[in-house]
Amino acid sequence: MNTIENIVSIRNLTFLRQNRKIFDGISLNIQRGKVTAIMGPSGTGKTTLLKLIGGQLIPNQGEVIVNGHNVHELKRSDLYSLRKKMGMLFQSGALLTDLNVFDNVALPLREHTQLNESFIRSIVLMKLEAVGLRGARDLMPNELSGGMARRIALARAIALDPMMIMYDEPFAGQDPISLGTLVKLIKELNSVLNLTSIVVSHDVEETESIADYIYILSEGKIVGQGTPKEIRNDKSELVQQFLKGKADGPVHFHYPAKKIQNDLFGNK
Amino acid sequence: MIYFIQKIGNRTISFFSKFGRSAIFLIQMLIACVAVIFRPKLLLTQLYSVGVLSFMIITISGLFVGMVLALQGYYILSDFGADETLGLMVASSLVRELGPVVSALLFAGRAGSALTAEIGLMKATEQLSGMEMMAIDPIDRIIAPRFLAGFISMPLLAALFSSIGVIGGQLVGVVILGVDEGSYWSQMQSNLDFYDDIVNGIIKSIVFGFAISWIALFEGYDTLPTSEGVSRATTRTVVNSAFVILGLDFILTALMFGDI
Amino acid sequence: MQNTKTQDTLVGLFVVIGIAAICFMAFKISNLSSFSKQNVYTITARFENSGGLKIKSPVSIAGVRIGRVSKISVDKDSYESIVEMYINSQYKLPDDTTASIFTAGLLGEQYVSLEPGGSEEVINPNGVIDITQSAIVLEEMIGQFLFKDPVDN
């Protein structure tokens, strides 16, 4: 088992949701210190994959190994201590709405460490500085823009100095400026803090610009993988359709249905 | 026909699975409550939003319920020349029944629905999930303090309701309708027993507080993370709480005051 | 931090008012103040018939309530009714006190009325009242009235 090399390795993972196969026996590895992107059309269960890695969902088959531990065989307390080493950035930021920015970032520190308040204050301010929002410490989450909320959530995710961060759709619905900021942040944090990043996204361009390795998922299977360059030259039609954003291809424009003639003029 | 039976089966299974989930949830919550005692700050915030914010509705309703009781009671009792027992009538109906039950119904509407909506929205906006990923158990940090706050607030609110109601009854009975003040209070005092009437009323309100907090938090925690799911869960909290309060009230009354 | 201080104060107020309401119910609405177990003593009286007397029925002297019935049982041998009463300890009763069961009004509830005698000795806690007069049972009275026994007269 090459756990030193691969911080996360997923083997033969199958996950069903109400009899629908979200994952059908996928296997993938995530290398330590790299930015790995997981891409695919909406609804392919990319977020579900992150929740499986975090141990929030239990797979029907297969195993998820994080840093040498099988996530779904860990005791609850061990799972929680493993989670302290994993940061996760949710699409909405998932900031606690009843706490201000400072307290949100301080929350994991206050919950998990015995540090005194002045020390926590310095750490929080440092983390906020890293995402460029030290000045926003007294704002409430509902006063933040979407991009700012994500950056605060990022500061919170790195508060405990985790070994890896999972980004759930970090680029979705962002204006070009905050998009640029996030891309820069993810890249910088990964190299400066020596993190491992898993980025789940369907934004082709931004993801390609930061990822070291890309997996493309579709219909519960991995349809393509490789470095951004390899992916670009992938021969699979599906991959090409996804990358170029064509309306029709292996994934059809039309949702499966019977012929329109029959539907309109035929009997019911 | 088969379809019908299938549907019954489906409902039964989903009912029991929900019941099972709520039982597990209750156990987790109770265990987590022990830890909350060491973190009074969390409890304090929740006592504010659960208890203090329900204060107004409870006192005002209590006052008016007491006033109406005195008014209605006076007309009936004075027909029998028994208007000096007005105090007894107002106080015993408040302390035994109306205090715990009406304040619980109001509490379910005011605080219970707010709890469900709050927890439901936290779930819908991934806040609960986010906490789990930060290795913070939302049951410890979010649910248990709220449960404890509901559990503590309810008997206090019910006591407040009954007390204010008795004063409201005195206002109408003594000040407006001219019942003798001495007999208003002495009839009450000599016929109501502390253990049998007051303590039983308080026990009722504690049970209701437990049930409402449990239902409200579970509905919030178990909701579908969509806006429709949250709104439905909020409605369910109020409806189910009302059923449970009235059902439990019957059982408790039969056990406490009846000879069944 | 002004905000949390107000919050603390309000929560404090809420709890204090709530507890005050419970105390209000205990002392003003119910009879905890006068009949807590601490300041009562028990006496017993035997009646031939205790009629409709119930637990918690009032016990009074000269119309003033001084206690309540705590237990009613039947003597296995003499088939008399044994009525135990809590008497507020501030009232001392002479040992020739008479106990009677009366009805408040024609259809009201029944209560124990105590009639103190002139003795110097007082009844001790757990003492017994010897002179009793049973409850008047309405049916018996009507019966006596209708079918008056000529011999007895």
Side-chain angles (χ1 to χ4, degrees):
Chain A
M1 218 168 53
N2 48 354
T3 46
I4 309 305
E5 185 71 16
N6 296 328
I7 194 159
V8 176
S9 85
I10 293 174
R11 265 177 273 151
N12 196 26
L13 181 82
T14 300
F15 182 75
L16 300 159
R17 180 169 282 163
Q18 282 153 8
N19 299 327
R20 198 164 72 87
K21 268 193 178 164
I22 307 288
F23 299 118
D24 188 4
I26 63 166
S27 299
L28 55 85
N29 291 314
I30 286 158
Q31 285 184 312
R32 198 180 284 273
K34 295 279 171 64
V35 178
T36 305
I38 294 163
M39 306 187 72
S42 310
T44 43
K46 302 185 295 291
T47 307
T48 311
L49 186 66
L50 293 186
K51 288 194 170 175
L52 282 162
I53 296 174
Q56 287 189 304
L57 296 171
I58 296 161
N60 297 72
Q61 246 178 54
E63 50 191 11
V64 177
I65 291 163
V66 177
N67 207 26
H69 306 283
N70 186 337
V71 173
H72 301 98
E73 283 174 3
L74 284 178
K75 277 191 306 193
R76 203 181 123 86
S77 54
D78 294 337
L79 176 63
Y80 268 49
S81 60
L82 183 63
R83 277 186 190 163
K84 287 179 203 166
K85 297 183 206 155
M86 301 195 258
M88 176 142 172
L89 183 73
F90 285 84
Q91 202 172 341
S92 59
L95 296 172
L96 296 183
T97 37
D98 54 348
L99 299 178
N100 69 15
V101 164
F102 183 91
D103 290 333
N104 257 296
V105 179
L107 180 71
L109 295 164
R110 287 184 180 146
E111 291 283 332
H112 294 310
T113 66
Q114 308 294 324
L115 300 175
N116 64 31
E117 201 53 31
S118 70
F119 204 62
I120 286 181
R121 192 184 123 88
S122 344
I123 297 179
V124 171
L125 292 183
M126 266 155 56
K127 302 292 176 188
L128 283 174
E129 178 69 21
V131 296
L133 289 174
R134 189 164 44 85
R137 68 184 116 159
D138 291 324
L139 297 180
M140 294 302 285
N142 58 12
E143 297 169 304
L144 301 170
S145 72
M148 279 161 87
R150 252 173 242 191
R151 278 151 72 191
I152 301 291
L154 186 53
R156 187 177 66 176
I158 59 173
L160 288 173
D161 293 318
M163 59 181 185
M164 69 176 207
I165 297 192
M166 298 185 274
Y167 298 90
D168 185 8
E169 300 283 4
F171 311 122
Q174 295 296 310
D175 65 77
I177 299 171
S178 54
L179 205 85
T181 321
L182 282 164
V183 169
K184 175 172 164 279
L185 269 176
I186 294 174
K187 219 172 183 170
E188 276 186 6
L189 286 176
N190 203 67
S191 56
V192 173
L193 299 177
N194 203 15
L195 290 167
T196 304
S197 302
I198 306 173
V199 181
V200 150
S201 178
H202 51 232
D203 293 274
V204 178
E205 213 174 295
E206 288 75 26
T207 312
E208 276 189 336
S209 72
I210 53 169
D212 296 309
Y213 203 82
I214 297 177
Y215 287 95
I216 296 184
L217 288 178
S218 180
E219 314 212 324
K221 289 198 163 61
I222 294 174
V223 292
Q225 56 174 294
T227 59
K229 209 178 221 173
E230 288 167 359
I231 286 281
R232 216 131 276 272
N233 301 325
D234 199 288
K235 287 196 188 67
S236 157
E237 268 185 76
L238 193 62
V239 173
Q240 289 307 322
Q241 187 197 358
F242 179 74
L243 292 181
K244 305 226 167 76
K246 289 181 201 155
D248 218 343
V251 176
H252 293 293
F253 171 69
H254 290 288
Y255 193 80
K258 53 185 170 179
K259 276 194 173 161
I260 190 163
Q261 289 88 337
N262 299 348
D263 234 3
L264 288 178
F265 305 114
N267 299 325
K268 278 190 182 170
Chain B
M1 188 63 199
I2 296 249
Y3 170 76
F4 184 65
I5 289 173
Q6 250 179 5
K7 197 150 190 184
I8 292 177
N10 193 321
R11 282 282 169 87
T12 316
I13 290 169
S14 69
F15 173 80
F16 278 106
S17 76
K18 186 166 182 179
F19 191 77
R21 284 200 305 279
S22 71
I24 293 169
F25 177 74
L26 178 68
I27 292 166
Q28 289 176 324
M29 195 158 68
L30 291 179
I31 293 170
C33 279
V34 180
V36 174
I37 296 165
F38 300 104
R39 304 183 63 180
K41 191 80 204 152
L42 289 178
L43 178 62
L44 208 83
T45 321
Q46 293 315 317
L47 271 176
Y48 178 78
S49 61
V50 171
V52 175
L53 296 182
S54 309
F55 187 86
M56 266 329 235
I57 188 174
I58 294 284
T59 42
I60 292 174
S61 317
L63 185 71
F64 281 104
V65 168
M67 283 161 63
V68 168
L69 272 178
L71 207 58
Q72 293 282 11
Y74 179 77
Y75 292 129
I76 295 169
L77 292 173
S78 63
D79 281 351
F80 297 100
D83 44 355
E84 70 272 17
T85 57
L86 183 68
L88 171 64
M89 196 217 93
V90 170
S92 65
S93 43
L94 275 172
V95 166
R96 289 181 179 185
E97 289 296 334
L98 292 176
V101 172
V102 176
S103 60
L105 290 173
L106 291 170
F107 185 72
R110 170 67 185 79
S113 60
L115 282 178
T116 306
E118 190 188 9
I119 303 291
L121 281 174
M122 282 183 144
K123 186 173 181 183
T125 54
E126 296 177 315
Q127 291 181 48
L128 296 183
S129 194
M131 293 188 88
E132 272 181 34
M133 284 308 297
M134 283 190 286
I136 300 170
D137 192 334
I139 292 194
D140 291 346
R141 181 75 175 47
I142 302 287
I143 306 286
R146 284 166 173 75
F147 177 74
L148 222 52
F151 185 63
I152 294 171
S153 301
M154 188 68 255
L156 297 180
L157 290 169
L160 207 67
F161 186 94
S162 301
S163 306
I164 299 276
V166 170
I167 292 168
Q170 195 236 15
L171 223 60
V172 169
V174 176
V175 179
I176 300 175
L177 297 172
V179 175
D180 177 54
E181 183 166 11
S183 52
Y184 182 86
W185 291 106
S186 68
Q187 282 283 339
M188 193 184 320
Q189 282 173 18
S190 59
N191 284 290
L192 285 180
D193 184 72
F194 178 68
Y195 298 100
D196 288 354
D197 295 309
I198 311 282
V199 171
N200 278 347
I202 293 174
I203 291 173
K204 270 189 184 178
S205 62
I206 291 175
V207 173
F208 295 158
F210 188 95
I212 296 168
S213 312
W214 179 19
I215 292 172
L217 291 169
F218 177 70
E219 287 291 356
Y221 195 72
D222 201 50
T223 180
L224 288 174
T226 60
S227 40
E228 198 204 356
V230 175
S231 82
R232 282 193 180 183
T234 312
T235 313
R236 269 203 308 275
T237 293
V238 177
V239 174
N240 291 355
S241 297
F243 279 142
V244 168
I245 290 164
L246 297 171
L248 278 176
D249 183 52
F250 175 76
I251 295 170
L252 289 172
T253 306
L255 287 177
M256 289 168 173
F257 303 111
D259 296 324
I260 300 175
Chain C
M1 290 285 116
Q2 188 60 41
N3 189 20
T4 51
K5 261 192 187 148
T6 353
Q7 202 174 23
D8 290 2
T9 319
L10 286 172
V11 171
L13 265 175
F14 166 66
V15 173
V16 168
I17 293 176
I19 291 172
I22 292 177
C23 295
F24 177 80
M25 295 207 300
F27 296 109
K28 197 82 180 147
I29 296 181
S30 80
N31 49 12
L32 183 70
S33 51
S34 51
F35 295 113
S36 62
K37 288 240 162 90
Q38 279 77 35
N39 53 8
V40 296
Y41 64 96
T42 312
I43 59 170
T44 312
R46 288 162 168 268
F47 294 94
E48 211 170 282
N49 185 342
S50 60
L53 206 63
K54 289 193 289 282
I55 289 173
K56 279 170 60 187
S57 292
V59 177
S60 59
I61 290 181
V64 179
R65 184 168 179 167
I66 60 154
R68 62 186 161 110
V69 172
S70 61
K71 192 180 164 195
I72 299 174
S73 53
V74 172
D75 189 311
K76 281 202 193 93
D77 304 320
S78 64
Y79 301 108
E80 279 177 323
S81 165
I82 305 169
V83 176
E84 279 178 30
M85 293 166 264
Y86 287 143
I87 306 292
N88 205 327
S89 37
Q90 71 188 85
Y91 303 106
K92 301 286 176 232
L93 301 168
D95 66 353
D96 57 350
T97 298
T98 321
S100 324
I101 297 174
F102 288 144
T103 307
L106 188 60
L107 299 168
E109 63 168 352
Q110 295 197 298
Y111 65 98
V112 178
S113 173
L114 301 178
E115 193 83 23
S119 171
E120 296 285 306
E121 303 282 306
V122 295
I123 303 180
N124 291 322
N126 299 319
V128 179
I129 293 179
D130 300 319
I131 316 161
T132 62
Q133 187 192 331
S134 284
I136 296 160
V137 179
L138 200 62
E139 291 90 327
E140 274 179 19
M141 241 172 67
I142 296 168
Q144 272 174 14
F145 180 72
L146 290 178
F147 313 106
K148 219 180 256 177
D149 192 351
V151 181
D152 207 41
N153 209 355

